[in-house]
Amino acid sequence: MVPEGLPTALGRLRAAISAADYPLSLTSAAEARKVGAALVSQLDDYLLPRLGRLDAPLLVVVGGSTGAGKSTLVNSLVQARVSAPGVLRPTTRAPVLVCNPADSQWFRQGDLLPGLTRTTSPSDDPHTLQLVAAPALTPGLAFLDAPDIDSVVDQNRALAAQLLAAADLWLFVTTASRYADAVPWDLLRTAQLRGTVIALVLDRVPEEAASEVHEHLAEMLAANELAEAPLFVLLETDVDGQGLLPPRDTAELRGWFERLASDASARTAVVRQTLNGAVAALGPAADGLAAAADEQAAAARALRERVRTAYRGGSETVERSLKDGRLLRGEVLSRWHEFVGTGDFFRGLEARIGRLRDRITAAVTGRPQPGNQLKSAIESQLTTLLRGVAADAAENAYTGWQAHPAGAALLEPSLARPTPDLPDRADRLVRDWQRGVLELVRQEGSDKRFVARTAAYAVNATGLAVMIAVFASTAFIPTGLEIGTAAGTTLAAQKVLEAIFGDQAIRRLAAKARQDLLDRVDGLLSDEAARYFKRIEAVGVDADPGGELRAAAAEVEQARSAAALTGGMRLALPDRDAGAPR
């Protein structure tokens, strides 16, 4: 009996494999999906149903290369024409399972290979399994004639691999001319690594070459750690009227299978060894799937970081622009000069702070206001900057994804540009920020006689001065490029605002207004970056996709050890003459 923990653990692993997804276009994704599908098929087709019935008849899957004589051999072993040999290649008929009538119910009920529809008639549908009862076949044993493992038809090869994964014992059939082909050896190595019990038939061997070919194949088996696999040699011969090999030629092989079928302990040993090997192989396979899933998560993180870097660069550009004084050039600088006075004013500023304050008050209360033009210039300068950094960030993010295979597959042309409504949102951001600056001034100057006396006019004028201070960024301490173009301008703003609010208040106002602007810019660029993030979220990459696979695989390995399927005993198959062929 098998402990209940193993089927439960296998069920959890199956669920984890089925749930694992590989949506990003990475080199490992296609292989992971293929391996995952194969593992689920093996669990459904063989491991879970076989664990439920260890005493079920032994299933021998007969596999091999095109034209190796598999069907002829199966027919000869059961002494009836039950599987039609393929005359034309590639053979497209459905696989054929032959068993004693007493064992038919187990295979008919469909626990084993549940994805194949049972039929009792020959079929060309590869999704069917033809069941044939053969009274001459010893109960407890069944042969399944599989499609060619090297068929030129992809579906045939896939079905052959699926059937071989459902074998208790794989009978590999090859010929003297094809025993060294690469494809069967790849499958033999896979079966050996998985612990599947294997027996081999070397068919159609010319008598004069029998010893030489047998010796060479035996050397190859030993080199691939398959020296203990039983090897049977069938000499080249003619078939009878029914297409069967002479009974004397198959007597040794047929007798070997009869002894295996009649020995319940030997059959159980074969089943347990193959089960143990197949379950043990799930761990490394699941680790491979977990690594591929982790690669998906890593790729998603890398793509997100490329977007963050691109849009973070946009925010940093805005911040640098506030620091280096570039926003104080051109139209903004001209309008500021008009607002506070002429160049003569700057030269005599230290002695005339009071008169300057009166001039500003008069300007905002009784004269046509250059403040509106200054406000518009500030708005235009900021909006132009925001549009530019958004465009650059979109292009940089697009380029970053283009250079990544997973990112390139997710791109669409519109991502290379800002969203269509970006200009409107940038305009709105600047206007909202300007209103926010005025509100800051209003709150800061609520107890100042100057603001109280001049009301909204003073708030507007002072707010503009604060905006200019933000453009200088360094709280009126000229540095870098500011020295060349804006030192006088920032100093003028400093003196005016210090006269009204005091030194500390002015620095606090400028710092708050600057941070408010940067926060709004971050929000704008985050909204732009979200387009990229949504495309990653849409494909659905988990944060830790490999964790569940590893945990489930570890649980299976613990349950396998507890089950002690092989019991630490070495498999002993029925004896046969291991010497050179007859």
Side-chain angles (χ1 to χ4, degrees), residues 81-84 93-99 107-108 113 116-133 143-145 163:
R81 191 180 176 85
V82 294
S83 182
R93 59 179 175 75
V96 178
L97 189 149
V98 189
C99 64
F107 296 108
R108 187 180 299 114
L113 294 166
L116 299 180
T117 302
R118 271 49 175 175
T119 179
T120 56
S121 302
S123 172
D124 289 332
D125 184 354
H127 298 100
T128 62
L129 178 63
Q130 182 187 353
L131 299 180
V132 179
F143 290 108
L144 196 162
D145 186 7
L163 297 176

Side-chain angles (χ1 to χ4, degrees), residues 348-420:
L349 182 62
E350 292 292 342
R352 295 187 292 167
I353 294 298
R355 281 189 296 168
L356 173 61
R357 182 175 58 206
D358 293 339
R359 180 185 297 178
I360 292 177
T361 302
V364 300
T365 57
R367 301 177 186 176
Q369 298 181 40
N372 288 338
Q373 293 177 320
L374 174 58
K375 182 180 179 183
S376 296
I378 292 172
E379 182 178 336
S380 176
Q381 190 86 315
L382 275 177
T383 300
T384 299
L385 174 65
L386 294 181
R387 292 181 182 182
V389 297
D392 289 344
E395 183 177 353
N396 290 337
Y398 192 93
T399 301
W401 275 27
Q402 244 182 348
H404 195 293
L410 296 177
L411 285 174
E412 61 179 26
S414 64
L415 291 173
R417 303 179 298 275
T419 54

Side-chain angles (χ1 to χ4, degrees), residues 35 38 119 134 187 229 262 303 331 422 426 470 501 545 570-571:
V35 170
T119 179
L187 287 173
S262 60
L303 293 178
E331 183 74 8
L422 184 279
V470 170
F501 293 100
R570 182 176 176 273
L571 174 66

